[in-house]
Amino acid sequence: MRAQVSARPRPRVDLTALFGFASGGWAWTTAAKAAIAMSSSFALAALLLGPQVGTLAALGSMTVLYEKNTPYAYRAVALGTVGLGFVAAVAVGSLASLNAYASAVAIGAVAGVATWLCQALRVDKPGPLFFVLVCAISTIAPGGLAEVPLHAGVAALGAAVGWAVSMAGAPVRSRHPENRAVADAFRQLAALLRAVGTRELDHVQHEASLAVAEAWRIVLLGQTRGYRDTAQAARLRALLRWVSDIHLAATDVCLARTDPLPGEAARFADRIADAVGKPDLCPSPSDLDEVRKGLRPRSLESRLYSRLARAAQAARKPTHEDDSRGLELYDQRHPPLHSLLRSSLDKDSLIVPTALRMGITVAVVGLAALIMGFDRFYWVSITATSVLQAGNVVLTVNRGMQRALGTLIGVVIAFAILLLDPSLPVVIALAALFQGLTQLVVARNFFYASILLTPMALLLAHTAAPYPVDELAQARVFDTVLGAVAGMLGSVLLWRKASASRLPQMIVDVLDQTRASVLAVLDPDVRITPERRYELRRDLRAALIGLRGVYDSAIGDVPRATTTQPLWPVVVAAQRAGYLALSTLALENPPTASQITLQRLDLAFNELMAAMRERRTPRLGALPRLVDYPRINMELRMLSSSMRTAVAEDERSAEQEQERRAQREHRRAREEADADL
């Protein structure tokens, strides 16, 4: 039997999306670091140089919000680069401040370039937002060209404070980021085991794969010289390989069962997660004896439980002593910089259209605000930047409404505070408090974060360039509404079809990687080396994650999403075939097949890929019988059937559109005839 397909993702604009909290925890650590960094940098710069330029130091300290999960050795360099980016943004804003129109264009350019670099270099949230914010604030800071070095130096001071706060945990918890990443992978594995037999299986499978891929990235980044050869580093790499293999073993079980697994299996994985950093919390392998009782030794469930037990044995030891597992490294710590930048410019990449959409929208809306007579046009640009970070149209509309409604409430709070004419120490304390609270809730709901972010931003803006409070509050409301509307229009008008147009090619890429993996495993004349096995797994997992990411983006791009919806069964079948191919790569002695079978299988994959490129029904003959891998056959047949259905729906939609066009032309001709009479 085939596991039931999960419900298609349905991004919507509704009350739950606007005001409900997303799943996850509260970012207490990030909130505390943000408050400490802002208060200390703002106070230091205000004491040394004055409160007006001190706001640049406060914003520069937001380097603390970047690279929160990466190892400390890598984070030290990455945050230094972010700080240099802040300094460059301040310099650009200060140089452009002599002319308002030049300032609007400069803010747009910074938004576009920062978006491109952040996505190309895999810089996590908050992405380009604070680069735009420091650039915008620097356009109103007092002084002319002579003050550019001062402004850049103040921003560098704030960035240095943010760097120091972010790195504060290195002396006491030097390997905490790596341990947390591997532990999160085990927790997502536990969630996958709980999802067996449910309608959420395909979604949870994707989340688990994301967690495993992120754990690989974080652990590789932490392999510094001198540490990577230690027994502690080998233990962590061994646990990472175990969670990766167990995830693939769980894939076989997920797609073979229609009823849930015993709850003890998921609880066992959760307990291993707790033991990643504290080996004394590790469960005993014998705790799985009850669920293993009565299973055939070679059954899928038995193999899964056996790997869980062996992972527990590895986690119980504080160091790694097994020379056969965990000591090898088959990848670089991180890809070369030129490779990342070059791949971001690929024609199939979404990075370039996203950056162009951001830069053009922010620049145009800034210029429009100036023409319309908005004194503080930069708030319009900042709001548009924040809204456009959502991604697709539906998420952008949600985020735009959240930003507008949240700002209305936040302005009232800021207005009440500024009417009291608080002293500078109070302003510093309140700005830090609001910034900390913003970071506490922003990952759960952007509406509540906007309520808290607005008073902080207004306090900084009023300190940098004092302005009548009532006019400031009124202008902030209008600026925010215009920026939110502009962000929504930018997402609708500029490259809205980018994700949908790339989706077929992403499916083809997954099928191509799946074909390469399956043929490598089945070929009796080819011995897969450990390095080649790792490369196949890495590339196929990346293609699977990329496919789901593009689909999630495309399904939210309305009205184009109507042509994307029929492809959901195709995406599911392609993903399942890919994960099954990954699971074959985890087998120690996988069964092989004859050369004739390999040739027929290669032809079948090539036909499926050609049909997807040409958006036609695949002309498949009888698939070769894979006795040892029947579920790969099943998913390939379902893939062919789903493609046939999607093509039929496309043809039906095209016919309906042609009929509507003919009816419109007939009506128009009739109206013209009536007018002549």
Side-chain angles (χ1 to χ4, degrees):
M1 295 181 63
R2 187 174 187 246
Q4 56 185 335
V5 176
S6 298
R8 174 175 54 82
R10 298 178 183 273
R12 295 176 179 174
V13 180
D14 54 21
L15 293 178
T16 301
L18 291 175
F19 306 116
F21 285 105
S23 59
W26 302 100
W28 292 103
T29 302
T30 302
K33 288 182 176 180
I36 293 171
M38 174 167 281
S39 60
S40 55
S41 60
F42 196 175
L44 180 61
L47 179 65
L48 296 176
L49 302 168
Q52 290 184 311
V53 295
T55 56
L56 291 176
L59 292 173
S61 68
M62 291 304 99
T63 51
V64 74
L65 300 179
Y66 292 83
E67 300 296 335
K68 299 183 293 291
N69 301 318
T70 50
Y72 286 109
Y74 175 83
R75 189 186 307 183
V77 178
L79 289 184
T81 305
V82 171
L84 290 176
F86 281 1
V87 171
V90 168
V92 170
S94 298
L95 289 172
S97 63
L98 298 178
N99 182 275
Y101 292 96
S103 298
V105 174
I107 294 172
V110 168
V113 173
T115 300
W116 169 54
L117 290 176
C118 286
Q119 294 197 9
L121 303 180
R122 304 176 187 177
V123 178
D124 201 0
K125 296 177 181 178
L129 178 60
F130 283 99
F131 293 92
V132 174
L133 191 57
V134 297
C135 178
I137 295 298
S138 65
T139 62
I140 62 169
L145 292 178
E147 300 298 327
V148 172
L150 173 63
H151 294 168
V154 172
L157 173 64
V161 173
W163 184 95
V165 173
S166 182
M167 295 293 296
V172 293
R173 299 193 302 173
S174 60
R175 297 300 165 183
H176 176 67
E178 299 97 307
N179 289 335
R180 181 175 55 191
V182 176
D184 288 344
F186 272 106
R187 292 192 179 93
Q188 285 296 332
L189 171 64
L192 177 61
L193 297 179
R194 292 188 180 94
V196 175
T198 69
R199 287 294 302 272
E200 297 299 314
L201 174 62
D202 294 299
H203 303 311
V204 180
Q205 172 76 282
H206 172 66
E207 295 297 327
S209 191
L210 271 176
V212 171
E214 180 66 6
W216 272 106
R217 186 179 80 92
I218 296 299
V219 170
L220 280 171
L221 288 176
Q223 302 303 302
T224 54
R225 184 179 301 175
Y227 168 72
R228 62 188 176 194
D229 295 327
T230 64
Q232 291 80 8
R235 173 184 178 270
L236 195 62
R237 292 198 299 271
L239 290 177
L240 176 59
R241 285 192 171 89
W242 277 122
V243 72
S244 181
D245 288 350
I246 295 168
H247 170 243
L248 299 179
T251 297
D252 280 334
V253 176
C254 292
L255 301 182
R257 289 178 65 108
T258 56
D259 56 322
L261 285 171
E264 179 57 33
R267 289 192 292 271
F268 193 86
D270 277 329
R271 292 162 66 191
I272 296 179
D274 296 334
V276 171
K278 299 178 180 179
D280 55 310
L281 298 179
C282 187
S284 171
S286 61
D287 293 346
L288 289 174
D289 289 347
E290 188 64 27
V291 296
R292 299 170 69 177
K293 188 180 299 182
L295 293 175
R296 289 176 299 152
R298 299 187 62 182
S299 67
L300 298 177
E301 291 85 352
S302 180
R303 190 175 68 189
L304 170 64
Y305 298 147
S306 175
R307 293 191 175 189
L308 277 170
R310 293 168 66 186
Q313 290 176 349
R316 290 170 68 87
K317 301 175 182 177
T319 59
H320 184 72
E321 300 172 355
D322 184 5
D323 293 338
S324 65
R325 191 177 190 86
L327 296 179
E328 311 88 351
L329 282 174
Y330 302 125
D331 209 344
Q332 298 173 312
R333 280 186 61 200
H334 49 80
L337 181 62
H338 64 84
S339 175
L340 292 174
L341 296 178
R342 186 172 62 249
S343 63
S344 71
L345 300 175
D346 187 83
K347 62 182 180 64
D348 293 325
S349 173
L350 288 174
I351 295 177
V352 170
T354 301
L356 288 174
R357 181 194 299 132
M358 178 71 79
I360 292 173
T361 303
V362 172
V364 169
V365 73
L367 293 172
L370 278 172
I371 294 173
M372 295 168 64
F374 285 72
D375 291 335
R376 295 180 173 245
F377 69 93
Y378 51 87
W379 284 122
V380 182
S381 302
I382 294 170
T383 301
T385 302
S386 175
V387 169
L388 281 172
Q389 282 189 279
N392 60 49
V393 175
V394 172
L395 295 179
T396 299
V397 171
N398 276 329
R399 196 176 178 97
M401 295 177 65
Q402 288 174 326
R403 182 62 186 255
L405 294 174
T407 298
L408 291 176
I409 301 174
V411 163
V412 174
I413 298 173
F415 182 73
I417 294 173
L418 290 174
L419 280 181
L420 298 176
D421 193 20
S423 62
L424 180 60
V426 174
V427 169
I428 294 173
L430 288 176
L433 175 63
F434 282 121
Q435 174 66 351
L437 293 175
T438 299
Q439 300 308 317
L440 180 66
V441 303
V442 67
R444 303 290 301 277
N445 188 285
F446 188 67
F447 167 69
Y448 303 107
S450 297
I451 295 175
L452 298 165
L453 179 65
T454 301
M456 182 273 291
L458 287 176
L459 287 171
L460 294 182
H462 186 69
T463 304
Y467 204 77
V469 176
D470 54 343
E471 296 181 21
L472 177 65
Q474 183 179 7
R476 184 71 174 103
V477 172
F478 287 117
D479 294 343
T480 299
V481 172
L482 178 59
V485 172
M488 297 179 198
L489 290 176
S491 68
V492 172
L493 299 177
L494 299 176
W495 289 279
R496 188 186 71 246
K497 302 178 182 179
S499 299
S501 62
R502 284 162 173 76
L503 183 57
Q505 184 57 44
M506 295 300 297
I507 297 174
V508 170
D509 291 344
V510 167
L511 292 177
D512 192 27
Q513 293 290 343
T514 302
R515 178 188 62 84
S517 299
V518 171
L519 294 182
V521 170
L522 295 181
D523 195 337
D525 299 329
V526 174
R527 178 184 175 275
I528 306 179
T529 63
E531 293 86 352
R532 178 58 178 162
R533 188 183 303 274
Y534 171 78
E535 291 173 359
L536 288 170
R537 291 174 62 167
R538 178 198 60 195
D539 296 342
L540 179 50
R541 191 185 296 278
L544 289 166
I545 292 173
L547 169 60
R548 180 58 189 274
V550 170
Y551 182 85
D552 287 344
S553 178
I555 201 64
D557 287 338
V558 292
R560 181 70 178 177
T562 55
T563 62
T564 303
Q565 293 173 5
L567 289 177
W568 174 243
V570 178
V571 171
V572 170
Q575 281 193 309
R576 290 185 174 184
Y579 283 119
L580 288 169
L582 275 176
S583 67
T584 64
L585 289 168
L587 299 176
E588 295 180 0
N589 295 299
T592 58
S594 65
Q595 291 295 334
I596 295 179
T597 299
L598 294 179
Q599 293 174 5
R600 293 176 60 193
L601 192 61
D602 188 35
L603 289 174
F605 272 106
N606 287 331
E607 171 60 20
L608 288 170
M609 289 187 288
M612 178 53 62
R613 290 192 191 97
E614 301 165 13
R615 294 304 295 267
R616 61 172 174 81
T617 299
R619 296 185 289 268
L620 279 182
L623 285 171
R625 188 183 178 199
L626 301 177
V627 179
D628 298 297
Y629 311 99
R631 298 202 171 273
I632 294 181
N633 276 74
M634 177 187 295
E635 294 304 330
L636 291 179
R637 286 195 297 269
M638 291 304 302
L639 178 61
S640 176
S641 176
S642 301
M643 290 172 62
R644 188 181 305 113
T645 302
V647 170
E649 292 195 23
D650 280 351
E651 293 175 350
R652 190 180 307 114
S653 298
E655 291 174 359
Q656 292 174 350
E657 178 60 28
Q658 188 174 1
E659 290 177 1
R660 286 192 292 269
R661 188 180 297 111
Q663 291 174 357
R664 287 195 299 268
E665 292 176 355
H666 178 70
R667 265 196 315 271
R668 189 180 301 111
R670 186 172 179 177
E671 290 172 356
E672 291 175 354
D674 292 342
D676 291 339
L677 292 175

